């Protein structure tokens, strides 16, 4: 066939001027890979023109050598096309001419000139290539119920035309078998004793004109010359076929039986068809005669080879395909990758050209792979299209042998694309960014590389040992080194100042940290899925080595020059390195990493970091207290009883805890000492806050009334209580339990627990003392007011008509108001702590007021008022069980006061009745005297202070004498 002619490499002829520009930008991936691919292959691009040649002349000559031969081949194909195209749309010759003019950028004059050349060329010999594959379900003509089928094939012209050419004496009974000339009749082999014969025989049938011509196939059963005796010997136990045997014997010897025929007009055929055709009967005796499988294709013989001298059909097909693809892509306005689409005209012309030149499906798929893989290197082509074509090539490799030239071309193409693919892999960060649309493309590219290495063609033509996994790993390592060098160059310090050097290093490490995260979260899944490569581990180990060197060299310049400014600049460097170090937990294999002890280089900067955060926090605390108005904060969700400075203080302490979390100092002993320092700083911050807060409340109280001062004291107590709760949470926030687990082998248990918990207890104790002091101050202010109201009840001359209830009302209203406010604005613990001293002080005030008026008139009325007031206070402080419990209220002082007020509020008559009631009660409960009883009468004279005692009688005395008497 023409596809086997000697020719130059098709890849050399596929280039257009635009493609040369695209290919010049492509860099081969070369670090040590060529030696592993077996024989070294290189694309050889001929330089047909000198660099100093005129550009217009150079373009003209390129067009003349590359495009004009292809254009003439297409014109020839259109002029001599046969059969229908597989395209759903039919195109006229003028449409096809217009399309190829646009696709190959030909002017009208160039078209006319080349058209004239084609019209003067030698026409081809039209042929129908018919492959008889098999048949099924044919008639059984032999006595055995089977047949010995064979087929006769020919192309016959129209009946009327045949009659005018040839005259016959008698009618032809069988069109093919009785044909006069046998030179155009072809016969298949005879398949013995079968109803499902398989031939797979190909014949080329020539014809002059497709109009009026028909393809004829007749299937016959070969008859054997046997005697009657032989036929009878075939009879065993059945006589059903006797009539058939007799008929076979009596018929003319050597006459074959007709099994069926297939007649197809050539004008009804497509360029190529592969179908099952029903065998038609001669009569209606046996209508169902089975089917025959035929592969029919129109081809050219003796095609004029002067149109594209030195090229074979395969080379031209590659060039035409690439031109059509470029033309299609150039007209598309979408930026999406090309997925293999072509317009109807292009598909029609490619089909006709391939069919006319008898290009096998293997060569067509090979041409597409070569063209598409080449286009992939210059324009955006959907990578799944390459995978599909590679699969087709692999399928055909097992079915058909390629010519030597195409084998070499396939090997060069696979080798070249593999190198290019590895080059893209080395630059996957830029070529396949971490977006939902790009990462699938990377996955498909890796699958293509895997498929290339699995193909028999690659393995046969590149027999050397080649491990794709190792090659991809090397590409990733090489790309990572290049990426790091590029980023390092971009972040070079502008000056030689140490601060600028640190800043440049910090920016570089941030880039590395982000890249490691992307490799872990995005790209690693793609590489593992496609080539089983843990790209995160490969990239991490490479960066570990590069960063260790970079950090060591940079920080060595800082030794002895660290100050607060440089330390602040080093802190983000340390944090980013710490984040990178933590990512080692995701490594599949753990080896010795060079960044393991990176923290050693930052020891000199660590004290500056703590000093910086301490000073910053102190400044924030002072500013927070300075603007605090000591008013409860308002919130729509829940009441907040502390002021703004307490919230700000917690916010100030949180960065200290965060710094501990961020530093995560690896050395156990140094980590413990760091915690001691942080805890000490927190205590200093709390102490400073308490000092500033007390000063603030003193200043504001001087400018406020009595009520406002009490409210501010409530807020201060709440602030201190809120701060104490926050301090109690420090061990959990600073994760002391985890610290103990890390340091237990280096720090003794007694040293650990006697240091850190003692610091917290000291802080909480100091806060407790401050809270008690504030509560005492608040209680004193309230006691002063209570004393004032009680004094107001002692003057009976000012309000002689005022009742006991009216006299106690001002005090109760005051307490109700103040206690209600404190209950709402003090935390429950502090409110309860305030109630107890306030109650005790209230009892003392009442007792003092009662004792002070014991020598004045109106003591009974005053004590009665105080007793009523005491009962009201008891109910107020008890609060129906929500306040102080009764056992706390009923203290000894309370009982003494209540008894005093009760007796002093009674009249003389009530006292005598009370005394007598007591005596009666005493007598009721007295069970008897052990030694008897004596009756006395006493009289006390206050004037001379004498007590007169008169003994009246005795009873129930114990007998002391022997006679039983006394």
């Amino acid at each position: 066939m023409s596809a086997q002619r000697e020719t130059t490499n098709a890849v050399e002829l596929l280039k257009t001027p635009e493609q040369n520009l695209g290919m010049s930008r492509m860099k081969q991936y070369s670090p040590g890979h060529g030696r592993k691919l077996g024989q070294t292959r290189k694309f050889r691009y001929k330089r047909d023109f000198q660099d100093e040649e005129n550009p217009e002349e150079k373009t003209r000559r390129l067009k003349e050598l590359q495009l004009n031969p292809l254009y003439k081949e297409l014109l020839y194909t259109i002029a001599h096309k046969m059969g229908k195209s597989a395209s759903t749309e039919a195109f006229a010759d003028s449409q096809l001419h217009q399309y190829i003019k646009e696709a190959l950028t030909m002017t009208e004059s160039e078209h006319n000139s080349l058209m004239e050349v084609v019209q003067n060329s030698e026409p081809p010999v039209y042929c129908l290539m018919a492959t008889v594959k098999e048949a099924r379900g044919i008639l059984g003509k032999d006595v055995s119920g089977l047949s010995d089928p064979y087929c006769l094939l020919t192309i016959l012209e129209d009946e009327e035309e045949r009659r005018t050419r040839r005259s016959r004496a008698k009618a032809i009974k069988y069109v093919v078998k009785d044909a006069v000339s046998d030179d155009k009749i072809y016969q298949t082999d005879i398949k013995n004793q079968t109803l499902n014969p398989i031939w797979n025989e190909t014949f080329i049938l020539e014809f002059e004109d497709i109009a009026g011509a028909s393809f004829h196939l007749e299937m016959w059963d070969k008859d054997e010359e046997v005697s009657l005796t032989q036929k009878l010997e075939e009879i065993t136990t059945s006589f059903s076929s006797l009539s058939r045997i007799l008929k076979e014997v009596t018929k003319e010897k050597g006459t074959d039986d007709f099994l069926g025929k297939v007649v197809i007009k050539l004008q009804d055929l497509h360029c190529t068809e592969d179908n099952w055709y029903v065998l038609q009967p001669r009569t209606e005796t046996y209508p169902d005669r089975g089917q025959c499988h035929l592969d029919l294709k129109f081809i050219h013989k003796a095609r004029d080879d002067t149109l594209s001298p030195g090229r074979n059909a395969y080379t031209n097909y590659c060039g035409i395909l690439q031109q059509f693809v470029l033309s299609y892509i150039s007209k598309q306005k979408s930026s999406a990758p090309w997925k293999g689409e072509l317009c109807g005209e292009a598909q029609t012309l490619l089909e006709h050209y391939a069919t006319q030149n008898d290009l096998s499906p293997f060569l067509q798929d090979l041409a597409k792979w070569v063209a598409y893989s080449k286009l992939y290197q210059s324009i955006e082509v959907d990578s799944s299209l390459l995978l599909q074509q590679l699969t087709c090539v692999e399928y055909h490799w097992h079915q058909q042998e390629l010519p030597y030239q195409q084998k070499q071309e396939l090997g060069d193409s696979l080798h070249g694309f593999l190198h290019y693919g590895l080059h893209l892999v080395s630059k996957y960060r830029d070529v396949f960014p971490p977006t939902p649309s790009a990462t699938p493309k990377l996955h498909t590219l890796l699958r293509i590389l895997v498929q290339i290495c699995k193909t028999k063609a690659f393995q046969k033509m590149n027999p050397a040992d080649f491990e794709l996994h190792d090659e991809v790993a090397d590409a990733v390592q090489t790309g990572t080194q290049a990426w790091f060098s590029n980023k390092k160059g971009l972040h070079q310090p502008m000056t030689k100042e140490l601060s600028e050097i640190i800043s440049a290093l910090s920016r570089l490490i941030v880039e590395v940290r982000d890249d490691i995260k992307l490799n872990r979260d995005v790209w690693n899944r793609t590489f593992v899925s496609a080539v089983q490569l843990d790209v995160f581990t490969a990239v991490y180990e490479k960066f570990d080595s590069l960063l260790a060197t970079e950090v060591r060299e940079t920080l060595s310049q800082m030794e002895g020059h660290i100050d607060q400014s440089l330390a602040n600049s080093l802190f983000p460097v340390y944090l980013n390195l710490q984040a990178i170090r933590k990512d080692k937990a995701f490594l599949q294999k753990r080896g010795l990493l060079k960044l393991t002890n990176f923290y050693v280089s930052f020891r000199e900067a660590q004290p500056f970091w703590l000093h910086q955060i301490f000073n910053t926090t102190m400044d924030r605390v002072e500013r927070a207290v300075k603007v605090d108005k000591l008013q409860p904060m308002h919130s729509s969700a829940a009441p907040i009883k502390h002021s703004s400075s307490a919230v700000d203080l917690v916010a100030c302490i949180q960065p200290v805890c965060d710094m501990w979390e961020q530093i995560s100092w690896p050395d156990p002993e140094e980590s413990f000492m760091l915690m001691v320092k942080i805890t000490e700083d927190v205590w200093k911050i709390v102490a400073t806050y308490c000092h500033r807060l007390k000063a603030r409340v003193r200043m504001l109280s001087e400018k406020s009334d009595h009520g406002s001062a009490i409210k501010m004291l409530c807020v201060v107590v709440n602030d201190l209580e809120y701060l104490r709760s926050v301090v109690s949470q420090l061990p959990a926030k600073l994760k002391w339990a985890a610290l103990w687990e890390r340091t237990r082998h280096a720090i003794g248990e007694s040293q650990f627990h006697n240091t850190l918990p003692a610091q917290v207890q000291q802080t909480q104790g100091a806060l407790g003392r401050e809270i008690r002091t504030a509560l005492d101050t608040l209680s004193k202010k309230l006691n002063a007011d209570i004393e004032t109201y009680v004094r107001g009840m002692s003057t009976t001359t000012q309000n002689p008509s005022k009742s006991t209830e009216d006299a106690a009302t001002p005090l109760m209203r005051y307490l109700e108001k103040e206690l209600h406010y404190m209950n709402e604005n003090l935390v429950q613990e502090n409110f309860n702590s305030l109630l107890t001293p306030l109650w005790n002080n209230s009892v003392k005030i009442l007792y003092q007021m009662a004792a002070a008026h014991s020598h004045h008139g109106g003591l009974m009325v005053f004590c009665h008022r105080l007793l009523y007031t005491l009962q009201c206070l008891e109910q107020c402080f008890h609060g129906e069980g929500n306040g102080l419990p009764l056992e706390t209220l009923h203290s000894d002082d309370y009982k003494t006061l209540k008894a005093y007020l009760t007796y002093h509020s009674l009249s003389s008559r009530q006292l005598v009745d009370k005394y007598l009631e007591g005596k009666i009660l005493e007598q009721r409960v007295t069970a008897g005297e052990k030694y008897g009883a004596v009756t006395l009468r006493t009289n006390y004279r206050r004037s001379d202070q004498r007590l007169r005692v008169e003994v009246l009688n005795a009873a129930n005395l114990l007998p002391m004498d022997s006679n039983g008497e006394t």
Side-chain angles (χ1 to χ4, degrees):
M1 291 187 292
S2 59
Q4 299 176 349
R5 301 175 190 171
E6 281 294 322
T7 180
T8 57
N9 195 308
V11 177
E12 299 173 4
L13 301 175
L14 282 175
K15 298 193 319 178
T16 62
E18 294 81 7
Q19 291 169 303
N20 282 320
L21 292 175
M23 287 304 299
S24 66
R25 293 192 295 265
M26 187 193 78
K27 297 181 179 179
Q28 289 289 339
Y29 173 77
S30 59
H33 292 77
R35 62 181 181 274
K36 292 186 178 181
L37 288 172
Q39 59 195 71
T40 303
R41 303 174 183 273
K42 294 183 180 179
F43 293 119
R44 301 175 299 277
Y45 299 109
K46 294 182 178 180
R47 298 186 60 189
D48 297 316
F49 313 108
Q50 298 297 326
D51 293 339
E52 64 272 9
E53 189 175 2
N54 185 286
E56 294 182 359
E57 180 64 20
K58 186 175 182 179
T59 302
R60 186 190 66 78
R61 293 193 59 186
L62 279 171
K63 194 172 188 179
E64 179 179 347
L65 291 177
Q66 295 184 10
L67 298 185
N68 287 0
L70 300 180
Y71 196 81
K72 288 184 287 185
E73 287 289 341
L74 288 171
L75 291 175
Y76 194 87
T77 300
I78 297 172
H80 302 288
K81 68 179 187 297
M82 299 175 293
K84 303 176 182 179
S85 173
S87 176
T88 56
E89 185 179 359
F91 299 97
D93 292 356
S94 59
Q95 292 177 292
L96 299 178
H97 287 162
Q98 183 62 32
Y99 170 74
I100 62 174
K101 279 197 297 184
E102 296 176 358
L104 276 70
T105 63
M106 292 292 177
T107 63
E108 187 65 29
S109 60
E110 290 172 335
H111 169 76
N112 294 334
S113 175
L114 297 175
M115 188 68 179
E116 183 179 357
V117 174
V118 172
Q119 290 174 347
N120 294 328
S121 63
E122 291 292 331
V125 176
Y126 301 137
C127 303
L128 177 67
M129 177 183 288
T131 300
V132 183
K133 292 187 173 182
E134 57 183 322
R136 62 189 179 191
I138 64 175
L139 292 178
K141 288 293 186 176
D142 296 342
V143 66
S144 60
L146 303 175
S147 296
D148 302 319
Y150 66 94
C151 297
L152 298 177
L153 301 83
T154 191
I155 292 179
L156 298 178
E157 299 174 355
D158 184 76
E159 186 68 19
E160 294 182 359
E161 183 178 352
R162 188 171 61 82
R163 284 201 187 106
T164 57
R165 288 188 178 183
R166 302 172 182 176
S167 59
R168 299 178 61 90
K170 63 178 182 178
I172 300 176
K173 187 175 184 180
Y174 305 106
V175 176
V176 179
K177 192 173 182 63
D178 297 337
V180 175
S181 176
D182 293 337
D183 56 349
K184 293 185 178 181
I185 298 176
Y186 302 90
Q187 178 180 333
T188 66
D189 295 337
I190 300 172
K191 302 299 179 180
N192 296 322
Q193 296 298 292
T194 179
L195 298 181
N196 300 294
I198 299 176
W199 286 286
N200 286 324
E201 297 182 37
T202 301
F203 306 92
I204 297 179
L205 289 71
E206 298 182 4
F207 60 92
E208 296 180 0
D209 191 1
I210 196 172
S214 300
F215 169 76
H216 287 255
L217 178 142
E218 292 180 358
M219 190 177 298
W220 294 82
D221 173 44
K222 186 63 178 177
D223 181 57
E224 297 288 343
E225 295 186 4
V226 294
S227 63
L228 178 60
T229 302
Q230 292 174 323
K231 291 290 183 179
L232 291 175
E233 289 178 354
E234 296 178 5
I235 302 176
T236 57
T237 60
S238 176
F239 294 92
S240 60
S241 60
L242 182 59
S243 60
R244 174 182 292 183
I245 295 174
L246 294 175
K247 181 178 179 181
E248 291 290 332
V249 174
T250 56
K251 76 175 183 178
E252 183 181 354
K253 293 182 178 180
T255 302
D256 297 340
D257 290 321
F258 179 77
L259 297 177
K261 65 179 179 178
V262 175
V263 179
I264 307 173
K265 292 183 178 180
L266 298 187
Q267 289 180 332
D268 295 337
L269 288 174
H270 288 79
C271 298
T272 177
E273 288 194 6
D274 188 349
N275 293 319
W276 285 89
Y277 296 91
V278 176
L279 291 170
Q280 301 295 329
R282 186 181 59 202
T283 64
E284 297 300 327
T285 305
Y286 300 103
D288 187 6
R289 293 175 174 264
Q291 296 175 312
C292 185
H293 189 187
L294 300 176
D295 183 2
L296 305 176
K297 180 167 60 173
F298 289 112
I299 65 171
H300 287 171
K301 285 176 62 177
R303 188 181 175 96
D304 194 335
D305 56 2
T306 61
L307 301 177
S308 56
R311 304 186 184 198
N312 59 16
Y314 168 76
T315 301
N316 289 332
Y317 183 86
C318 292
I320 293 170
L321 173 64
Q322 185 158 338
Q323 290 300 323
F324 286 173
V325 171
L326 292 175
S327 175
Y328 180 86
I329 295 175
S330 65
K331 295 179 181 179
Q332 299 304 305
K333 298 180 180 180
S334 173
S335 59
W338 181 64
K339 297 184 178 181
E341 309 96 334
L342 286 175
C343 63
E345 294 91 338
Q347 295 176 2
T348 298
L349 289 170
L350 286 172
E351 182 182 6
H352 278 292
Y353 186 83
T355 304
Q356 292 175 8
N357 290 275
D358 192 22
L359 286 178
S360 66
F362 192 0
L363 290 177
Q364 295 180 47
D365 285 326
L366 174 61
K368 292 177 181 178
W369 159 256
V370 172
Y372 297 168
S373 62
K374 193 73 175 297
L375 288 171
Y376 183 87
Q377 303 175 25
S378 56
I379 61 176
E380 193 169 3
V381 177
D382 192 335
S383 50
S384 60
L385 179 64
L386 297 181
L387 188 62
Q388 176 185 351
Q389 287 304 129
L390 192 62
T391 303
C392 293
V393 170
E394 178 67 6
Y395 169 78
H396 291 304
W397 180 268
H398 299 279
Q399 309 295 324
Q400 179 182 347
E401 182 73 16
L402 271 181
Y404 174 79
Q405 190 70 25
Q406 277 65 51
K407 280 186 180 180
Q408 293 298 110
E409 185 171 18
L410 176 58
D412 287 344
S413 177
L414 295 176
H415 174 273
F417 189 86
L418 189 61
H419 273 249
Y420 182 75
L422 292 172
H423 169 72
L424 293 184
V425 169
S426 69
K427 296 182 177 297
Y428 68 93
R429 296 172 175 86
D430 301 320
V431 180
F432 306 102
T435 60
S437 59
T439 48
K441 297 177 182 178
L442 173 61
H443 186 268
T444 308
L445 172 63
L446 293 173
R447 287 181 58 201
I448 292 174
L449 300 184
V450 170
Q451 191 62 31
I452 286 177
C453 296
K454 287 183 178 180
T455 58
K456 295 297 182 181
F458 179 81
Q459 295 174 2
K460 183 175 181 179
M461 290 181 285
N462 295 277
D465 184 24
F466 180 84
E467 290 293 337
L468 181 64
H469 179 278
D470 297 340
E471 295 297 316
V472 174
D474 289 345
V476 169
Q477 294 273 359
T478 303
T480 301
Q481 174 74 59
W483 182 89
F484 184 84
S485 300
N486 182 41
K487 294 297 181 181
K488 181 180 176 181
L490 291 175
H491 296 296
Q492 281 291 334
M494 303 300 294
T495 63
K496 293 184 179 181
E497 295 183 2
L498 295 180
S499 59
E500 183 63 28
I501 294 174
I502 295 175
S503 178
L505 176 63
S506 179
R507 293 192 299 270
L508 176 62
I509 295 176
V510 169
E511 294 265 18
V512 172
R513 183 199 63 190
D514 294 341
D515 186 76
I516 289 176
K517 185 177 185 299
L518 288 174
N519 276 281
R520 182 192 68 200
D521 298 338
V522 181
W523 289 309
N524 194 59
R525 292 193 298 269
T526 301
F527 279 92
V528 171
S529 174
V531 291
Q532 292 74 51
L533 173 65
D534 180 18
V535 73
F536 167 75
T537 299
V539 169
Y540 188 93
E541 291 177 347
K542 188 65 176 180
F543 280 141
D544 175 73
S545 175
L546 295 172
L547 281 180
T549 303
E550 193 69 22
V551 170
R552 184 173 58 255
E553 293 177 354
T554 302
L555 295 187
S556 63
Q557 306 177 41
M558 312 295 162
E559 294 180 2
H561 302 285
I562 297 293
D563 55 13
Q564 189 64 57
S565 177
L566 287 179
N568 294 343
S569 301
L570 283 174
F571 188 63
V573 176
Y574 175 85
L575 293 184
N576 288 317
L577 288 174
Q578 183 77 351
I580 293 174
R581 178 178 173 272
K582 290 180 180 179
D583 282 336
K584 72 176 184 178
F586 298 95
L587 294 175
Q588 283 191 355
K589 55 181 181 179
R590 301 289 179 86
L592 182 61
L593 298 176
K594 296 184 178 180
L595 280 177
T596 300
N597 297 324
F598 76 95
Y599 66 92
V600 175
S601 302
F602 295 87
R603 278 177 176 158
E604 189 178 352
Q606 185 200 96
F608 291 96
W609 299 342
L610 297 182
H611 182 71
Q612 175 69 21
I613 193 67
F614 176 76
N615 289 341
T616 302
T617 304
M618 281 294 193
D619 293 340
R620 291 182 61 184
V621 168
E622 293 188 358
R623 289 196 301 269
V625 175
K626 188 175 182 180
V627 299
D628 193 356
K629 297 180 180 180
L630 297 181
Q631 296 178 355
M633 298 180 63
H634 298 284
S635 173
S636 58
I640 299 178
K641 299 180 180 181
H642 43 266
S643 63
S644 60
S645 63
V647 178
D648 292 340
L649 179 62
V650 175
C652 293
I653 294 177
Q654 187 60 41
V656 179
C657 301
D658 293 340
M659 169 166 280
W660 165 255
E661 181 74 18
Q662 291 172 335
I663 291 179
S664 298
W665 198 258
D667 186 86
E669 294 185 14
E670 295 179 5
S671 182
F672 173 75
M673 298 307 299
L674 179 62
M675 176 58 71
V676 172
K677 174 62 177 171
I678 289 176
T679 308
E680 181 181 350
D681 288 346
V682 171
W683 157 237
K684 292 179 181 179
I685 293 169
V686 171
T688 301
Y689 174 74
C690 294
H691 177 72
R692 297 287 189 272
L693 193 63
K694 289 189 294 184
R696 179 69 175 169
V697 73
R698 283 195 299 267
M699 183 189 71
L700 294 179
S701 298
E702 294 174 356
K703 303 177 182 179
S704 305
D705 55 19
H706 182 71
S708 299
I710 291 177
K711 293 179 180 179
M712 285 189 289
L713 276 175
C714 291
V715 174
V716 169
V717 171
N718 289 335
D719 287 345
L720 296 177
E721 184 62 37
Y722 180 65
L723 183 57
R724 185 166 64 173
S725 66
V726 171
V727 171
S728 66
Q729 298 172 5
L730 276 179
K733 287 187 175 181
L734 294 174
K735 300 180 180 179
W736 283 7
L739 177 63
W740 164 243
E741 292 297 327
R742 289 177 51 211
T743 60
R744 62 189 307 172
H745 301 293
I747 305 297
E749 183 176 2
S750 59
Q751 181 182 0
F752 185 93
H753 292 290
N754 292 337
T755 304
L756 295 179
Q759 288 179 310
V760 174
Q761 291 173 5
Q762 179 183 2
T763 305
Q764 289 180 325
L767 288 173
R769 290 191 295 272
E770 295 292 343
I771 291 172
R772 287 192 296 272
T773 301
L775 287 175
D776 291 341
T777 303
L778 183 60
S779 178
K780 290 178 181 179
K781 289 183 177 293
L782 293 175
N783 288 330
D785 293 339
I786 292 173
E787 184 176 356
T788 300
Y789 281 105
V790 173
R791 288 182 184 278
M793 293 188 297
S794 65
T795 307
T796 57
T797 57
Q798 295 179 358
N799 297 298
S801 61
K802 181 178 289 188
S803 63
T804 300
E805 292 83 357
D806 293 339
T809 297
L811 174 61
M812 299 312 300
R813 285 181 177 175
Y814 170 77
L815 283 177
E816 182 180 2
K817 176 183 177 183
E818 294 300 326
L819 292 179
H820 178 73
Y821 175 82
M822 294 178 188
N823 186 35
E824 287 187 347
N825 293 278
L826 280 177
V827 296
Q828 191 64 37
E829 183 179 355
N830 288 333
F831 179 69
N832 294 337
S833 300
L834 177 64
L835 285 181
T836 301
L838 188 61
W839 164 255
N840 293 331
N841 288 332
S842 299
V843 171
K844 291 179 181 179
I845 291 172
L846 292 178
Y847 189 83
Q848 291 171 0
M849 290 296 103
H853 288 76
S854 61
H855 301 291
H856 299 283
L859 177 61
M860 183 181 68
V861 176
F862 184 64
C863 287
H864 182 70
R865 289 183 179 180
L866 291 182
L867 181 61
Y868 177 77
T869 302
L870 180 63
Q871 294 172 351
C872 293
L873 288 175
E874 181 181 354
Q875 294 178 1
C876 179
F877 278 86
H878 183 58
E880 297 181 354
N882 297 320
L884 294 177
L886 292 176
E887 54 269 20
T888 303
L889 293 173
H890 296 169
S891 62
D892 293 338
D893 292 340
Y894 164 80
K895 293 177 181 178
T896 302
L897 175 62
K898 185 175 181 180
Y900 180 85
L901 295 177
T902 300
Y903 286 111
H904 283 79
S905 62
L906 297 177
S907 63
S908 298
R909 180 72 181 176
Q910 289 173 329
L911 286 173
V912 172
D913 292 341
K914 193 77 173 177
Y915 174 77
L916 294 177
E917 289 176 359
K919 285 299 181 179
I920 293 172
L921 179 61
E922 183 179 349
Q923 290 177 1
R924 289 177 180 176
V925 300
T926 300
E929 296 83 10
K930 182 177 180 181
Y931 300 103
V934 63
T935 303
L936 302 176
R937 179 184 291 172
T938 60
N939 184 20
Y940 178 73
R941 293 173 60 180
R942 184 178 295 179
S943 59
D944 55 1
Q945 298 182 351
R946 289 184 178 184
L947 176 66
R948 183 170 177 265
V949 180
E950 182 180 358
V951 180
L952 298 180
N953 56 48
N956 299 327
L957 298 176
L958 292 177
M960 301 299 294
D961 297 339
S962 60
N963 59 1
E965 295 180 353
T966 301

